[in-house]
């Protein structure tokens, strides 16, 4: 059974850290410089992200970009913009939700789908692994991943139910704002 889900929003789970933007938090972290350089250096990408706030960004680390540096160097600006937009989803998805759901399919700003699921105790985004979940700030949430999401890596959720890993719920204050949550 394919699982597409909308989750109730828990305000306590997505409270921004010290009122910093997600862009500032990624910059301060120090391992997302290549992504930030590509986002700010590719015309229209930063505007597309900020105009869709709140967003969830699946952020490849500098090491992830280094692994495919020759591939990225060959991309024209339009293709690079599409690849970058394929790492961003409108709305906020926390890590806990995928653990609760097992598998969700989300549409990115590029119009491409990604699959986010629990596999062998790890949260996977297509063929990348979430290595730093829930960087929460003004404008949304970032999840650090170990690979750049490239075209052709999407596969739908399994047709058989995925058994979610048990997790505890964070916070009890509900907001009237609708949002979707991702994995811990």
């Amino acid at each position: 059974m394919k699982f597409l889900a909308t989750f109730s929003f828990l305000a306590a789970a997505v409270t921004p850290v010290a009122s910093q933007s997600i862009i500032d938090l990624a910059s301060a972290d120090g391992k997302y410089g290549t992504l930030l350089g590509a986002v700010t250096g590719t015309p229209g990408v930063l505007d597309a992200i900020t105009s869709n706030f709140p967003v969830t960004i699946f952020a490849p680390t500098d090491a992830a970009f280094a692994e495919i540096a020759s591939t990225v160097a060959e991309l024209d600006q339009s293709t690079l913009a599409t690849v970058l937009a394929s790492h961003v989803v409108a709305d906020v998805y926390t890590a806990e939700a995928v653990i609760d759901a097992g598998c969700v399919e989300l549409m990115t700003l590029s119009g491409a789908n990604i699959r986010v699921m629990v596999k062998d105790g790890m949260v996977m985004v297509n063929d990348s692994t979430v290595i730093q979940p829930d960087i929460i700030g003004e404008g949304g949430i970032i999840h650090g991943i170990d690979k750049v999401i490239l075209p052709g890596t999407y596969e739908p959720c399994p047709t058989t139910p995925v058994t979610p890993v048990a997790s505890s719920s964070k916070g009890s204050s509900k907001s009237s704002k609708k949002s979707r949550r991702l994995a811990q």
Side-chain angles (χ1 to χ4, degrees), residues 78-142:
S78 175
T79 304
L80 180 58
T82 299
V83 169
L84 294 170
S86 295
H87 290 79
V88 184
V89 178
D91 283 330
V92 173
Y93 296 82
T94 66
E96 185 178 342
V98 165
I99 291 172
D100 292 344
C103 188
V104 295
E105 296 173 3
L106 306 171
M107 182 175 290
T108 66
L109 296 186
S110 74
N113 286 332
I114 56 172
R115 176 193 66 209
V116 186
M117 69 180 282
V118 177
K119 182 177 179 185
D120 299 327
M122 303 297 294
V123 177
M124 306 294 296
V125 182
N126 288 0
D127 63 348
S128 65
T129 303
V130 173
I131 57 172
Q132 186 177 9
D134 295 343
I135 302 168
I136 301 166
E138 288 184 12
I141 191 167
I142 297 173

Side-chain angles (χ1 to χ4, degrees), residues 27-49:
S27 179
D29 187 280
K31 63 180 158 276
Y32 301 104
T34 305
L35 174 64
L36 292 170
V39 165
T40 59
T42 306
V45 175
L46 184 58
D47 290 339
I49 293 170

